[in-house]
Amino acid sequence: SDEIRVDHRLRDDLRMDEDDFSFLFVPELERAIGIELPQGDWDGVRTVGEAIRMIERKIGSRSPSGVASAMRDSATSTDANR
């Protein structure tokens, strides 16, 4: 299934290497959400759920479905750019 779940591991389940994650996925996600986070904020983020929680802490009360939707779009865009 192409569905992205909160328990998916960003690098393993979504088949991103470190460069894909750092230079394609993160900037695309930040653009989609309209934020820019320091690279260090991503340290230790391993799963989709951890990424959603970290982003929600940074931006406040935005709905989880909005963050999840942006993550799905960013992952799809990352695949297309590989």
Side-chain angles (χ1 to χ4, degrees), residues 2-3 8 12 18 25-27 29 31 34-36 38 41-42 49 51 55 57-59 68 72 74 76 78-79 82:
D2 289 338
E3 183 178 319
H8 273 141
D12 297 329
E18 192 64 36
F25 176 76
V26 169
L29 178 61
R31 184 199 60 73
I35 62 170
E36 188 171 329
D41 287 355
W42 292 99
I55 292 166
R57 281 193 308 271
K58 297 293 181 179
I59 64 173
R72 185 176 44 259
S74 297
T76 302
T78 299
D79 275 344
R82 281 194 230 170

Side-chain angles (χ1 to χ4, degrees), residues 30-75:
E30 291 175 341
R31 184 199 60 73
I33 297 172
I35 62 170
E36 188 171 329
L37 299 170
Q39 185 60 38
D41 287 355
W42 292 99
D43 293 348
V45 173
R46 304 280 182 257
T47 68
V48 170
E50 289 172 356
I52 290 170
R53 285 187 296 277
M54 184 272 293
I55 292 166
E56 287 173 339
R57 281 193 308 271
K58 297 293 181 179
I59 64 173
S61 63
R62 180 173 300 186
S63 78
S65 61
V67 174
S69 176
M71 288 191 75
R72 185 176 44 259
D73 294 346
S74 297

Side-chain angles (χ1 to χ4, degrees), residues 17-30:
D17 63 22
E18 192 64 36
D19 286 344
D20 289 339
F21 181 75
S22 297
F23 299 113
L24 295 175
F25 176 76
V26 169
E28 180 64 25
L29 178 61
E30 291 175 341

